[in-house]
């Protein structure tokens, strides 16, 4: 019956699934690339992953090394393009040192190295004759980069920097790929020359021998230990690193922004430090795209299983009700489905933003950087937090079976949740957004008009004056009405914070006192950006039968689910009445009913293979129960009908032959 359930669901779809796949992937070519590389990975026994959660840490890590080496062999032998290689590594679906080598080490050299340094280091990195990581975070400092304690002191007598770890808290801690694999690291340290501290700079430091892989003299490097969850991020060798007078050549300082001369003089290059923002936007764009991918995987599992699972029934003799037909299930699940699509369109826009920022920086135009820094900080924060919470919600939506590792959800959560912390703590990032919003409001009196994602604040007076015009449920699916609601919410929360800070004894005291309110204002600003980007995407040509209509429903669900979830914001600012909120809830229920026949087809449009999902509950064919049963019997615990330990520990208890402990009470 469960297999027939998904087949019937697919027959009820009111849109062209293949056309929606193109929307999700971005082009027909990307759809073909996904299918081709996905099949390549799924058909290769080396990339097996169904046994990951039962492996011990050492076996798990060695298996990851095997997969990474095998992937590199395939990339070279098949002459894969950069895009194909990236897709291959993503489909292997296992955090590994290669993520940091290709995703952080190489971009850091590109962004911060001179042309000469890039010519020296990049060919080695591209060939993987050296393997690198990104050593910034320390045991005592993460978000506060300027507080890092590692030092690099220039010695003019030898033309070298001497790298030291002066305190326990200066120990580099967490860099992926560092613990056991990397031969080199981008090390962030305080540059000291001629007795003066010039702040934190990036250095390339070799940490292991290229002959036998042993740590070099003066280097202490190790893995930091087991992390959260089975499998998950335990395939990654997050490491610790300490230096004791480790000497490196002067030109190992990445010198695009500043250099040190042979006699120890610190010389800014004239290249603005803001050029590094391009790399930051690239990383955060990738994080947002990853959020849409991870959330879509969890939602696919939960939607398919909710359509297969039946509980209770309204009429005797008829099949029990599909769980997905319960409003309590839809109200938790469908907003997450809509969010996955919203984040995909957001990621596409951030790709455009990265191109725009890069071209501006090359022309020496830094005008948009404050706004870009703020919006990318906030979007990284809200997308990763929502996705992590969404994966866990999907696990709960799958009931007890969701707790099984066979569901794929526990490991998916464990692998994803670090995103809430790396590349910036999510609360700290929202406070950075808040500073931008407060500064933007402070400049309104001078006649300076906000631009980009903050342009609506230039209309603050109108947004403060006009309340919600909704009088009936259908009014809520008017895009202008939704846009105005989110702009008014954000503007009113920001203005309120600005007023509270202005009344404080000083600005910093006020910022600290009202930091929770500032976080709420920042979240409102960022959610406005997501809603706006979804709406803007719908204004473009979207081919395919019924595709635009389904995306419109999803956009409305995303926006209205936020209106109801953040009802306190809309009510406390006086923008909404309780009656209008009830109308929003009623319209949301209607949208759920419209979406319901298309739910399974919409997750099919994510184009995730069974291999990539790694979930018995989320199988494409819906054959859940038979496979759950068979998987259980194959578990290593069931290799023998009588467990190890029976003779030593169970039999003595049953036969009353247990030796009593000689204890003193």
């Amino acid at each position: 019956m469960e297999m027939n359930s998904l087949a019937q669901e697919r027959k009820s779809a009111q849109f062209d699934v293949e056309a929606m796949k193109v929307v999700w992937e971005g082009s027909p070519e990307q759809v073909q690339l996904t299918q081709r590389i996905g099949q390549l990975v799924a058909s290769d026994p080396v990339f097996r992953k169904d046994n990951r959660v039962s492996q011990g840490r050492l076996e798990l890590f060695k298996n990851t090394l095997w997969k990474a080496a095998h992937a590199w062999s395939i990339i070279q032998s098949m002459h894969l393009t950069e895009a194909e290689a990236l897709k291959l590594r993503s489909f292997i679906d296992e955090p590994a040192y290669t993520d940091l080598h290709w995703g952080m080490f190489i971009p850091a050299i590109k962004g911060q190295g001179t042309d000469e340094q890039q010519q020296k280091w990049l060919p080695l990195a591209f060939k993987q004759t050296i393997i690198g990581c990104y050593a910034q975070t320390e045991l005592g400092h993460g978000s506060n980069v300027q507080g890092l304690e590692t030092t690099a002191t220039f010695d003019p007598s030898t033309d070298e920097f001497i790298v030291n770890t002066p305190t326990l808290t200066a120990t580099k801690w967490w860099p992926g790929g560092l613990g056991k694999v990397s031969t080199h690291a981008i090390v962030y340290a305080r540059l000291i020359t001629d007795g003066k501290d010039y702040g934190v700079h990036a250095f390339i430091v070799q940490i292991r021998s290229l002959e036998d892989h042993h740590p070099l003299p003066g280097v202490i490097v190790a893995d930091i230990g087991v992390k959260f969850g089975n499998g998950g991020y335990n395939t990654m060798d997050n490491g610790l690193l300490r230096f004791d007078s480790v000497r490196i050549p002067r030109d190992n300082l990445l010198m695009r922004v500043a250099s040190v001369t042979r006699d120890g003089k610190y010389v800014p290059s004239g290249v603005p430090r803001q050029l590094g923002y391009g790399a930051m936007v690239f990383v955060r764009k990738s994080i947002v795209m990853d959020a849409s991918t991870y959330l879509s995987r969890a939602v696919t599992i939960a939607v398919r299983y909710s359509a297969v699972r039946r509980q209770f029934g309204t009429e005797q003799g008829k099949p029990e009700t599909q769980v997905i037909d319960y409003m309590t299930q839809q109200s938790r699940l469908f907003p997450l489905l809509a969010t996955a699509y919203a984040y995909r369109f957001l990621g596409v826009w951030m790709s455009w933003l990265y191109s725009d920022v890069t071209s501006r920086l090359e022309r020496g135009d830094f005008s948009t950087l404050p706004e870009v820094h703020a919006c990318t900080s906030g979007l990284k924060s809200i997308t990763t937090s929502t996705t992590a919470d969404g994966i866990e919600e999907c696990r709960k939506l799958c009931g007890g079976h969701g707790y099984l590792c066979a569901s794929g959800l526990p490991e998916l959560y464990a692998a994803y949740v670090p995103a809430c912390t790396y590349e910036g703590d999510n609360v700290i990032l929202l406070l950075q957004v808040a500073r931008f919003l407060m500064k933007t409001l402070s400049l309104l009196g001078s006649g300076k008009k906000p631009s980009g994602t903050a342009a609506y604040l230039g209309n603050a007076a109108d947004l403060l004056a006009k309340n919600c015009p909704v009088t009936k449920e259908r009014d809520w699916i008017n895009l202008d009405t939704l846009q105005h609601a989110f702009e008014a919410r954000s503007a009113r929360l920001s203005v309120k914070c600005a007023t509270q800070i202005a009344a404080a004894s000083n600005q910093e005291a006020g910022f600290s006192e009202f930091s929770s309110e500032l976080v709420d204002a920042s979240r409102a600003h960022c959610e406005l950006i997501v809603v706006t980007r979804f709406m803007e995407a719908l204004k473009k040509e979207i081919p395919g039968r019924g595709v635009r209509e389904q995306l419109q429903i999803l956009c409305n669900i995303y926006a209205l689910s936020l209106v109801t979830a953040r009802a306190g914001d809309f009510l406390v600012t006086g923008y909404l009445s309780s009656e209008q909120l009830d109308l929003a809830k009623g319209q949301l229920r209607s949208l759920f009913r419209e979406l319901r026949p298309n739910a399974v087809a919409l997750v099919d449009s994510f184009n995730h293979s069974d291999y990539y999902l790694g979930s018995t509950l989320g199988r494409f064919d819906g054959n859940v129960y038979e496979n759950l049963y068979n998987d259980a019997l194959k578990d290593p615990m069931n290799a023998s009908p009588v467990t190890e330990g029976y003779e030593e520990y169970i039999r003595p208890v049953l036969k009353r032959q247990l030796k009593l402990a000689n204890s003193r009470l």
Side-chain angles (χ1 to χ4, degrees), residues 639-658:
S640 170
V642 178
T643 185
E644 288 186 32
Y646 167 75
E647 291 292 343
E648 300 95 327
Y649 307 116
I650 299 176
R651 181 182 172 86
V653 172
L654 294 172
K655 302 299 183 182
R656 304 189 67 181
Q657 296 172 352
L658 193 65

Side-chain angles (χ1 to χ4, degrees), residues 38 68 89 92 122 185 191 196 258 274 379 409 506 588 628 646:
R89 285 191 289 268
I92 294 170
L122 289 178
L191 191 160
K196 184 175 179 180
Q274 293 95 322
L379 294 173
L409 292 166
N506 62 71
L588 195 54
L628 273 180
Y646 167 75

Side-chain angles (χ1 to χ4, degrees), residues 59-291:
E59 181 186 7
L60 179 69
F61 182 64
K62 187 175 181 181
N63 196 256
T64 300
L65 298 181
W66 181 31
K67 291 178 181 179
H70 186 59
W72 185 235
S73 174
I74 291 173
I75 290 168
Q76 291 181 302
S77 63
M78 296 183 65
H79 305 290
L80 298 187
T81 65
E82 186 175 345
E84 290 170 331
L86 178 63
K87 187 72 76 172
L88 177 74
R89 285 191 289 268
S90 70
F91 278 143
I92 294 170
D93 191 32
E94 196 159 297
Y97 68 87
T98 49
D99 299 346
L100 283 302
H101 177 78
W102 294 98
M104 296 296 289
F105 181 72
I106 288 175
I109 295 172
K110 287 181 176 179
Q112 300 183 57
T114 62
D115 291 343
E116 293 78 10
Q117 288 176 316
Q118 292 183 47
Q119 290 167 11
K120 174 182 178 179
W121 293 105
L122 289 178
L124 301 174
F126 286 143
K127 295 174 185 176
Q128 288 195 166
T129 53
I130 63 172
I131 296 172
C133 64
Y134 189 83
Q136 177 174 295
T137 299
E138 295 178 354
L139 190 58
H141 289 88
S143 298
N144 182 15
V145 176
Q146 297 310 311
L148 296 178
E149 300 176 81
T150 302
T151 60
T153 305
F154 183 64
D155 180 358
S157 67
T158 61
D159 197 25
E160 295 172 317
F161 283 100
I162 306 170
V163 185
N164 272 299
T165 305
T167 65
L168 177 62
T169 52
T171 304
K172 295 297 179 184
W173 194 275
W174 275 115
L178 170 64
K180 292 296 177 182
V181 178
S182 292
T183 62
H184 292 67
I186 301 289
V187 175
Y188 283 81
R190 313 195 72 80
L191 191 160
I192 300 171
T193 183
D194 197 23
K196 184 175 179 180
D197 183 338
Y198 286 90
V200 176
H201 290 65
F203 300 80
I204 298 180
V205 183
Q206 184 174 347
I207 57 177
R208 287 186 171 93
S209 166
L210 293 176
E211 298 301 321
D212 60 13
H213 209 61
H214 277 79
L216 295 181
V219 173
I220 297 175
V221 59
D223 186 271
I224 61 172
V226 179
K227 299 172 284 287
F228 178 86
N230 291 43
Y233 225 77
N234 284 299
T235 56
M236 180 72 79
D237 57 326
N238 298 91
L240 63 88
L241 178 64
R242 290 181 61 83
F243 300 102
D244 183 3
S245 299
V246 173
R247 290 178 174 268
I248 60 173
R250 174 170 54 92
D251 60 7
N252 278 27
L253 163 68
L254 291 178
M255 297 185 184
R256 189 176 189 188
V257 171
S259 62
V260 172
T261 64
R262 177 66 182 80
D263 59 358
K265 183 181 179 182
Y266 181 84
V267 182
S269 67
V271 174
R273 287 185 175 272
Q274 293 95 322
L275 282 176
Y277 279 49
M280 175 201 70
V281 175
F282 174 81
V283 170
R284 289 178 177 170
K285 175 265 296 184
S286 301
I287 289 174
V288 170
M289 275 298 197
D290 284 347

